[in-house]
């Protein structure tokens, strides 16, 4: 079965640079969630989209923005990167109204 | 707001022994509860979920969990541990109309031969 695809899998950036993470949900899933998992920590919810509209917002810095496109893929844009942004970023998708989120393999972002 | 607390950040069991991971939730209304497993350098895989149907939920890889409202608990068990069960396990909660997940701090399971 098709799974959630995230790209790139690994990303290395310098401080103050920008990064774009991409997420391709499972086919026919209309909802996308982004989570951030710092080293040794549990995943923290950042933001979600349903039918290309932001549906919920968590602890996402103002330096970050995200959107969902007409094909339901989503991109997380991160600017003015800080060392503390180094983390594993997960995307999950679901079919709206259903409770199960399916996670992608994550993008490991390292900020030097 | 919903939240979960996992008791014990590390659990070490012998191969073949019972695995018991504890999770307690805090919610004003019965929530949806989940257990996810994370293997090193991999994503989160759903083990099982509770969504107000049967209180005893069976999942993949021989795991099961029981929802106990009186104890606000959703503990995960497996009767006989296997070496491949070594991983980190996260309990998570969402509301019935608020789908974002709130995770516990995670429990790392080590299986001794």
């Amino acid at each position: 079965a098709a799974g959630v695809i995230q790209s790139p899998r690994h990303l290395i950036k310098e401080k103050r640079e920008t990064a774009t993470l991409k997420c391709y949900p499972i086919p026919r899933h209309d909802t996308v969630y982004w989570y951030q998992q710092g080293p040794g920590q549990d995943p923290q919810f950042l933001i979600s989209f349903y039918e290309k509209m932001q549906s919920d917002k968590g602890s996402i810095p103002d330096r970050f923005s995200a959107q969902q496109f007409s094909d339901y893929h989503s991109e997380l844009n991160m600017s003015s990167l800080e060392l503390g942004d180094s983390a594993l970023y997960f995307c999950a998708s679901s079919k709206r109204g259903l409770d199960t989120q399916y996670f992608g393999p994550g993008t490991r972002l390292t900020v030097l | 707001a919903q939240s979960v607390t996992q008791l014990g950040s590390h659990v070490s069991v012998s191969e073949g022994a019972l695995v018991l991971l504890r999770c307690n939730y805090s919610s004003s209304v019965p929530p949806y509860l989940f257990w996810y497993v994370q293997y090193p350098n991999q994503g989160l895989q759903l083990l099982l979920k509770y969504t107000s149907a049967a209180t005893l939920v069976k999942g993949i890889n021989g795991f099961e969990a029981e929802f106990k409202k009186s104890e606000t608990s959703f503990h995960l068990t497996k009767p006989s541990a296997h070496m491949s069960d070594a991983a980190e396990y996260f309990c998570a909660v969402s509301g019935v109309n608020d789908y974002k997940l709130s995770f516990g701090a995670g429990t790392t399971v080590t299986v001794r031969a």
Side-chain angles (χ1 to χ4, degrees):
Chain A
V4 177
I5 298 171
Q6 290 188 247
S7 69
R9 293 292 309 278
H10 301 273
L11 191 57
I12 299 175
K13 291 286 186 179
E14 300 279 343
K15 282 194 307 183
R16 292 179 290 278
E17 285 190 321
T18 61
T20 297
L21 279 54
K22 297 184 179 182
C23 169
Y24 297 86
I26 292 171
R28 293 181 295 281
H29 280 194
D30 50 20
T31 306
V32 168
Y33 305 81
W34 286 96
Y35 294 85
Q36 177 192 56
Q37 185 179 28
Q41 299 186 3
D42 57 289
Q44 295 289 319
F45 171 73
L46 292 177
I47 196 167
S48 63
F49 292 87
Y50 165 63
E51 284 291 345
K52 294 150 281 184
M53 298 289 289
Q54 181 181 308
S55 55
D56 203 349
K57 192 173 182 180
S59 51
I60 183 169
D62 292 341
R63 300 177 289 108
F64 293 8
S65 65
Q67 58 182 323
Q68 186 180 31
F69 294 86
S70 57
D71 63 352
Y72 296 106
H73 94 273
S74 177
E75 295 183 3
L76 177 65
N77 299 292
M78 310 160 71
S79 63
S80 302
L81 288 169
E82 302 174 356
L83 296 178
D85 296 329
S86 295
L88 196 53
Y89 290 83
F90 288 111
C91 171
S93 76
S94 72
K95 185 71 177 169
R96 184 68 168 183
L98 299 181
D99 44 84
T100 302
Q101 293 179 32
Y102 295 89
F103 283 76
T107 294
R108 184 171 296 281
L109 172 67
T110 302
V111 182
L112 302 176
Chain B
Q2 302 88 9
S3 65
V4 290
T5 301
Q6 290 183 241
L7 302 176
S9 58
H10 289 88
V11 168
S12 180
V13 298
S14 298
E15 192 173 19
L18 171 72
V19 179
L20 170 61
L21 305 182
R22 301 178 188 274
C23 173
N24 288 89
Y25 69 90
S26 173
S27 175
S28 56
V29 296
Y32 290 164
L33 291 159
F34 307 81
W35 277 99
Y36 283 88
V37 61
Q38 185 177 31
Y39 298 99
N41 300 313
Q42 293 189 28
L44 295 157
Q45 181 181 7
L46 179 69
L47 279 177
L48 50 79
K49 63 181 180 183
Y50 167 77
T51 55
S52 73
T55 56
L56 181 62
V57 182
K58 294 187 183 298
I60 62 171
N61 302 339
F63 285 94
E64 64 180 37
E66 186 172 8
F67 174 75
K68 291 187 176 180
K69 185 177 179 180
S70 60
E71 299 177 7
T72 61
S73 69
F74 189 58
H75 301 332
L76 181 71
T77 60
K78 181 174 181 177
S80 177
H82 191 272
M83 298 298 287
S84 61
D85 295 325
E88 185 153 23
Y89 293 79
F90 290 97
C91 181
V93 64
S94 74
V96 293
N97 293 311
D98 171 12
Y99 301 114
K100 65 178 182 288
L101 293 171
S102 294
F103 289 87
T107 300
T108 300
V109 172
T110 302
V111 182
R112 305 185 304 271

